Amino acid sequence: MDTVDFELSVNGERHAVRAEPRKLLTDVLREDCRLTGTHVGCEHGVCGACTVLVDGRPARACLLYAVQMRGHEITTIEAIAKDGVLSPLQQALHEVHGLQCGFCTAGIVMTFEAYLKENPRPTEEEIRDVLSGNLCRCTGYQNIVEAVLKVVHA
Amino acid sequence: MPKTRFTQIGRAIPRREDRRLLTGNGRYVDDIEIPGALHACFVRSPHPHARIVRIDAKAALAMPGVAAVLTGADLAQWTTPLRVAPPIEGLHPVEMTTLPVDKVRFHGDPVACVIARDRYLAEDAAERVEVEYAPLPAVANADQALAEGTALVDESLPSNLVSEQRFSTGDVFARRREAHRVVESAFSQHRQTHLPIETRGCAALWDEGREHLTLHIGSQVPHPLRTQLAARMRLSESQVTISSLDVGGGFGQKIALYREELTVAAASRHLRRPVRWREDRMENLLAASHAREELCRTRAAVTDDGRLLGLELEILEDFGAYCFYPANYLARVVAMILTGPYKVSDYAFVVRVVLTNKCGSGPMRAPMSITSWVMEGTMDAIARELKLDPLEVRRRNMVAAAELPYTMPTGEVIADITPRETLEAAVTRVEYAQFRERQAAARREGRYLGLGLCSVVESTTYGSRFYKAAGIPGSGHEAAWVRIEPSGAVNASLGLGASGQGYETAFSQVVGEGLGVDPASVRIHLGNTDVAPYGMGSRGARGGTAGGATLFLCARDANEKMLAIAAKLLGFDSSEGLRMVEGKVVREVLGERIDTGISFAQLARTAYLDPTALPAGMAPGLDFSRTYDPPPMTYSNAAHVCEVELDVETGAVRILRYVVAEDCGTVLSPVVVEGQQHGAVAMGLSGALLEHMLYDEAAQNITGSLADYLVATATDLPRFEILPMHTPSRGNPVGTKGMAEGGVMGAIGAISNAVNDALAPFGVVAERQPLSPDYLRSLLRGKTP
Ligand code: FES
Ligand code: FES
């Protein structure tokens, strides 16, 4: 299949990409931009592990083609800690043990970084509702909920 | 047991591995960059059972960028088949080639492997590989497997019954005759899968010049995997390195050497190119490993006040098409430890395992998961039939502290466990008596609440003597090393394979404790077989018990040598009274600590760089290694209580409350232990309520995506209330008992018992899982309270 050349803006940096138009955003981020923090858990839009921000809104990178992202700004987990300082949510996840194997974690962080900007005071029920779009096989979710609540009540 | 002197072990320190994982800097298999790597994609059988007539790869090979298409015949030349043939009575030996040569045995069985420039191309080419099949009749379930004249899944066997064992002690027939009642119950657990969020995958690099293979892979058992891989590649163990950095969940799925991984490794050697493979989710669901499909029946002979006189158990397990493990191994453990905390001396079991045309089974977090459901469901059945209170029936049969150690009818010895204490604590927490009043009041309003009790005795850590006695080949030992470098930096390692258990945190606490230094100064190196010592890896719940003890003993060896050096430097004859506290040598005189002015770093420097200052005869350096074989079996225990509300109109179950009182001995890291408790209970509840690997009557798998295979999300699960009730084990140098699987065992039993309690007014009993709305509605149809 023929490749196309395009530019991708990720975490404020421009990447010149040459890839087949069918190449998924997950694969381009991981292989071409060498940002492997975005994980792939299902490639069919269910697990949420691949969640990134497109123009500030959460999106499943496994359901997008990278070429579609021309003209959009993509944010990945690599841009969340600033100057080596964890974001309040990352810090809370660390403090209350909200991650085990860590494979789902980037997707969860990205989901809530965006959500909490628009809804800074969610209830536990609302948090669980939003979190239900991300699968975690390790934690039973409780400490993830706890971490978000910690940020909310900080 | 040196309980009180611990200062580092048991401290709640946030995990050390978090930072890299939170910032996207973890290194899971697929994150490892390998320039020039080719990608593998497997062609899989659409048939559950068929002869392979012909494989035509011409069209695929003609595509630019396709390097090779490998079949079973190719792999048979380069690799050795897997033979599973331990000398166990009633277990048939079996053998499997690396890829099938003559026939496929399940929907998803790999038949060929395409190697190409990238994954997209490999997938395209896989579609161009033409395989001609001649379908055979398929065996879709255990009943069919045992039916007269049925097809043979493995044609080298006389029947599909691959394993059968019987055991009897006492006289269960006599007990039945003298019983007030014989209570029969059935428990049918359904097929599930581990579902790590990171699927399987690997990358193989063959170094032609050095004749060395490096396999990057997420593995729970790096060294045993190396042993297998080397043998099957016809290499020596010195020619293979396994490297497993971050692993996105294992749960038992990342133990075996799978055929795909071996194929990728063989392809790399054949092509002299790095080859990598990332499994997609559909492959993971269809063809990685399944678990748990078993039917258990019990027959309990009881007195009129609910005391157990005799117990019989039958297990029939559907093991799928291939045996990566001895087929008896999982079900056998269930039968061995079934009676758990209950006293009974007359016991018999028969365990049968059959092959079917489905994906092969393996251990999944709590391979013996059904045990507590079966035993506790039997207790509930006794209470139901005799119209007794289920809590009272348990109290009447449960072993008391004064009766420990207690020998189970199978010869298993339980000691240092606290089943009564945890049960009483859990029922007190949920206010059992008041619940019964609430339940009665709710019933009057047409609402159906249920409470389920489940006591768990978890077999966590297998010592070599257990394996020997059970006739299973294998060792239970673990290995560790501790190295203090000339600067005083501490490196340590052991043979476990981490997949989210926070080992780097917990074990740095263990080493810190043993050495008398800050855990933050200790670095734990895991997962690389050139670095780590040969241990048995992470399976069961042995990490904390076997691993923790080994590492602690090793660190104590180091501590002893360092204090001997300190004594010499101070001019003392012996190191008596000297201790390392926070990196400084102190002298204890009449309960008081006097600083000697000697530091940990100074001793390290001396040991390496000033050997003439060492005590006479002492070798330079601070390099320690140690192995440790734990007792035959270590048990921990817990009591689970679950409260549910059943919507009788829809069949939906809502969990209102979930309490666990658990005793897992000395806790290395309370942070990690609590996380494991949550995760285990969640997996149990998810399996009991939602997950179901479904095959149709023709043995076609119809759960190929996460839209079909449902797993619990944050809205399906409750908040867990944990009551830590840890008492140290005397059989372990650190006092740990192990945990992390019991939560699954307890959850499966507690939720089932709770649902049956809610169903009680309708006179029906749920005997199988998942407890789906459909199933519960089918039980309720036409029934009135
Ligand atoms: S990988 Fe995108 S949702 Fe699962
Ligand atoms: S931490 Fe392992 S999947 Fe969430």
Side-chain angles (χ1 to χ4, degrees):
Chain A
M1 202 178 265
D2 290 339
T3 57
V4 290
D5 292 311
F6 56 98
E7 259 201 3
L8 210 59
S9 179
V10 186
N11 303 333
E13 230 178 86
R14 308 208 144 272
H15 294 260
V17 178
R18 170 169 296 177
E20 291 179 13
R22 64 171 170 170
K23 193 161 181 179
L24 298 174
L25 179 58
T26 40
D27 290 334
V28 167
L29 287 173
R30 295 176 49 80
E31 292 167 14
D32 301 72
C33 306
R34 302 167 78 195
L35 295 167
T36 54
T38 300
H39 295 153
V40 176
C42 70
E43 284 180 300
H44 53 255
V46 179
C47 76
C50 66
T51 306
V52 297
L53 305 186
V54 176
D55 302 327
R57 309 194 74 90
R60 314 230 140 171
C62 74
L63 297 182
L64 296 168
Y65 296 114
V67 272
Q68 293 175 281
M69 293 296 105
R70 275 183 289 207
H72 296 280
E73 176 59 35
I74 295 159
T75 312
T76 68
I77 186 70
E78 284 88 351
I80 299 304
K82 297 271 185 300
D83 302 322
V85 181
L86 298 181
S87 76
L89 177 60
Q90 287 172 319
Q91 183 62 31
L93 283 162
H94 172 57
E95 283 168 13
V96 306
H97 191 31
L99 63 152
Q100 292 184 24
C101 80
F103 201 77
C104 67
T105 308
I108 288 169
V109 170
M110 298 316 286
T111 302
F112 280 94
E113 289 290 344
Y115 178 77
L116 290 176
K117 280 213 175 74
E118 289 183 11
N119 308 274
R121 292 269 170 274
T123 62
E124 169 161 354
E125 210 183 326
E126 288 166 330
I127 293 168
R128 283 190 181 262
D129 209 47
V130 174
L131 185 55
S132 71
N134 293 73
L135 296 182
C136 174
R137 192 56 155 166
C138 298
T139 63
Y141 305 104
Q142 182 156 328
N143 288 349
I144 303 174
V145 173
E146 223 60 77
V148 179
L149 282 171
K150 188 164 182 169
V151 174
V152 168
H153 295 131
Chain B
M1 219 300 306
K3 181 191 169 195
T4 46
R5 72 159 199 260
F6 290 157
T7 55
Q8 302 298 348
I9 288 177
R11 270 178 59 197
I13 305 173
R15 297 197 322 167
R16 301 180 59 177
E17 35 281 88
D18 287 352
R19 193 178 175 86
R20 65 173 187 267
L21 305 179
L22 279 163
T23 53
N25 289 306
R27 299 243 282 156
Y28 303 88
V29 178
D30 206 50
D31 301 342
I32 295 162
E33 214 172 328
I34 300 169
L38 299 169
H39 290 251
C41 176
F42 289 88
V43 177
R44 295 184 182 274
S45 168
H47 302 285
H49 199 190
R51 295 229 178 276
I52 302 169
V53 178
R54 191 177 56 90
I55 300 176
D56 183 350
K58 272 196 286 314
L61 284 167
M63 296 170 75
V66 173
V69 177
L70 309 177
T71 65
D74 298 320
L75 272 309
Q77 296 172 48
W78 310 328
T79 59
T80 302
L82 171 67
R83 189 171 165 76
V84 180
I88 295 172
E89 214 196 306
L91 174 71
H92 290 283
V94 290
E95 207 170 283
M96 90 174 90
T97 53
T98 302
L99 288 182
V101 177
D102 49 355
K103 74 167 189 175
V104 290
R105 295 192 196 172
F106 73 95
H107 175 201
D109 212 352
V111 277
C113 177
V114 176
I115 315 280
R117 189 186 57 226
D118 65 51
R119 191 166 175 246
Y120 290 73
L121 180 61
E123 283 178 16
D124 288 346
E127 278 177 25
R128 302 263 190 104
V129 176
E130 282 175 38
V131 186
E132 192 186 317
Y133 297 96
L136 296 165
V139 179
N141 56 50
D143 287 342
Q144 281 180 19
L146 292 172
E148 202 66 45
T150 202
L152 279 179
V153 176
D154 183 333
E155 285 162 32
S156 73
L157 300 182
S159 78
N160 291 318
L161 182 63
V162 66
S163 179
E164 177 168 11
Q165 278 96 28
R166 287 165 189 277
F167 169 88
S168 179
T169 185
D171 188 343
V172 289
F173 298 103
R175 297 295 86 75
R176 251 198 253 160
R177 282 194 301 272
E178 67 199 39
H180 167 73
R181 187 80 66 94
V182 176
V183 179
E184 301 197 357
S185 323
F187 308 87
S188 167
Q189 197 176 24
H190 54 297
R191 188 165 272 258
Q192 296 164 50
T193 190
H194 313 66
L195 208 89
I197 303 300
E198 179 197 36
T199 55
R200 295 179 301 163
C202 63
L205 288 87
W206 173 252
D207 180 335
E208 178 67 18
R210 290 183 170 73
E211 301 190 304
H212 193 95
L213 176 72
T214 301
L215 187 73
H216 295 282
I217 186 169
S219 175
Q220 300 174 229
V221 295
H223 285 93
L225 186 76
R226 187 189 67 181
T227 300
Q228 279 234 16
L229 181 60
R232 297 193 61 195
M233 294 277 291
R234 299 173 195 145
L235 295 170
S236 122
E237 278 181 289
S238 59
Q239 289 177 284
V240 178
T241 302
I242 302 289
S243 172
S244 175
L245 296 174
D246 291 314
V247 182
F251 316 111
Q253 195 171 78
K254 294 172 182 172
I255 294 175
L257 171 64
Y258 291 101
R259 299 173 299 164
E260 292 90 342
E261 297 152 359
L262 180 55
T263 300
V264 167
S268 172
R269 180 172 62 178
H270 174 68
L271 298 168
R272 301 179 184 187
R273 290 278 301 273
V275 180
R276 70 190 313 160
W277 171 60
R278 184 180 90 210
E279 179 183 55
D280 71 24
R281 181 55 66 186
M282 186 180 193
E283 294 180 283
N284 183 262
L285 288 165
L286 255 47
S289 177
H290 292 174
R292 305 227 200 284
E293 187 168 8
E294 53 208 343
L295 170 67
C296 295
R297 292 179 187 284
T298 58
R299 205 179 279 137
V302 291
T303 60
D304 58 355
D305 62 351
R307 267 173 235 278
L308 207 49
L309 295 171
L311 185 67
E312 292 157 76
L313 168 73
E314 267 173 50
I315 305 182
L316 176 59
E317 182 174 4
D318 176 340
F319 211 60
Y322 292 102
C323 302
F324 289 91
Y325 302 87
N328 69 316
Y329 144 60
L330 310 171
R332 173 74 181 261
V333 174
V334 176
M336 295 278 287
I337 65 166
L338 177 74
T339 54
Y342 298 109
K343 290 178 289 184
V344 59
S345 47
D346 299 69
Y347 176 56
F349 67 70
V350 44
V351 174
R352 290 180 301 159
V353 184
V354 296
L355 299 182
T356 58
N357 290 116
K358 299 191 235 176
C359 177
S361 281
M364 171 169 158
R365 189 176 204 170
M368 65 310 199
S369 66
I370 201 172
T371 310
S372 309
W373 176 29
V374 173
M375 196 60 212
E376 295 287 314
T378 299
M379 285 289 150
D380 274 7
I382 295 168
R384 226 172 10 244
E385 290 208 14
L386 301 182
K387 303 206 165 28
L388 297 171
D389 179 86
L391 177 58
E392 211 34 57
V393 172
R394 285 165 170 82
R395 285 178 175 147
R396 283 177 195 166
N397 286 291
M398 194 173 269
V399 68
E403 294 165 303
L404 292 171
Y406 179 81
T407 305
M408 293 186 197
T410 50
E412 282 299 292
V413 179
I414 41 176
D416 292 353
I417 61 166
T418 53
R420 278 181 183 267
E421 293 82 345
T422 47
L423 177 63
E424 297 301 336
V427 294
T428 305
R429 170 61 80 101
V430 297
E431 302 182 312
Y432 186 79
Q434 288 91 321
F435 169 79
R436 291 292 174 213
E437 288 163 25
R438 276 197 291 128
Q439 182 181 40
R443 276 181 192 168
R444 287 192 291 273
E445 294 166 18
R447 288 174 50 231
Y448 295 90
L449 305 182
L451 193 83
L453 307 175
C454 188
S455 286
V456 177
V457 173
E458 175 185 358
S459 50
T460 67
T461 309
Y462 297 58
S464 298
R465 280 163 289 166
F466 178 89
Y467 287 120
K468 187 95 186 163
I472 305 169
S475 164
H477 86 278
E478 195 41 60
W481 59 252
V482 172
R483 252 178 242 150
I484 296 130
E485 310 297 344
S487 63
V490 182
N491 286 310
S493 181
L494 66 173
L496 302 176
S499 54
Q501 307 91 329
Y503 287 160
E504 290 164 47
T505 308
F507 292 134
S508 69
Q509 290 178 252
V510 169
V511 175
E513 183 74 54
L515 290 177
V517 298
D518 182 356
S521 69
V522 179
R523 235 185 141 105
I524 306 288
H525 302 265
L526 294 170
N528 184 310
T529 51
D530 292 348
V531 175
Y534 198 115
M536 299 315 292
S538 297
R539 52 201 307 174
R542 66 191 298 278
T545 30
T550 314
L551 200 50
F552 182 70
L553 293 172
C554 191
R556 295 306 295 169
D557 290 345
N559 178 264
E560 200 179 301
K561 180 167 177 178
M562 294 183 86
L563 292 181
I565 300 172
K568 171 79 188 326
L569 297 183
L570 291 165
F572 298 151
D573 295 344
S574 90
S575 58
E576 222 188 292
L578 296 183
R579 280 185 62 193
M580 186 75 72
V581 179
E582 290 166 26
K584 292 192 177 62
V585 179
V586 299
R587 230 176 102 206
E588 287 190 331
V589 183
L590 303 171
E592 247 181 82
R593 282 186 187 168
I594 307 163
D595 189 2
T596 64
I598 293 185
S599 72
F600 185 82
Q602 183 186 347
L603 292 171
R605 220 163 29 242
T606 307
Y608 283 93
L609 307 176
D610 191 8
T612 56
L614 299 178
M618 183 184 276
L622 293 169
D623 191 340
F624 303 86
S625 60
R626 178 104 189 206
T627 57
Y628 166 75
D629 196 352
M633 184 61 84
T634 309
Y635 291 96
S636 62
N637 68 282
H640 292 232
V641 183
C642 175
E643 183 184 333
V644 299
E645 176 160 0
L646 171 67
D647 182 334
V648 294
E649 299 301 320
T650 63
V653 174
R654 196 155 63 91
I655 302 169
L656 304 177
R657 193 149 186 213
Y658 202 99
V659 174
V660 187
E662 183 151 353
D663 177 357
C664 66
T666 302
V667 168
L668 302 181
S669 161
V671 173
V672 169
V673 163
E674 194 203 59
Q676 292 291 318
Q677 287 168 324
H678 292 175
V681 173
M683 186 174 276
L685 294 175
S686 178
L689 291 172
L690 295 160
E691 297 174 37
H692 198 178
M693 189 55 77
L694 264 171
Y695 284 83
D696 67 14
E697 324 74 70
Q700 284 281 329
N701 191 321
I702 51 174
T703 28
S705 84
L706 291 179
D708 309 304
Y709 189 85
L710 302 180
V711 52
T713 68
T715 46
D716 298 313
L717 296 174
R719 237 168 207 283
F720 310 113
E721 299 168 52
I722 311 273
L723 310 176
M725 297 186 61
H726 309 301
T727 63
S729 154
R730 284 167 295 184
N732 182 286
V734 188
T736 49
K737 295 178 188 168
M739 51 89 55
E741 296 196 315
V744 179
M745 303 168 74
I748 292 173
I751 184 88
S752 303
N753 290 344
V755 167
N756 278 328
D757 189 37
L759 285 171
F762 298 88
V764 293
V765 179
E767 293 184 328
R768 61 181 164 88
Q769 294 177 349
L771 299 160
S772 65
D774 272 0
Y775 171 51
L776 297 179
R777 272 302 305 151
S778 76
L779 290 176
L780 286 165
R781 208 151 289 141
K783 297 286 190 306
T784 46

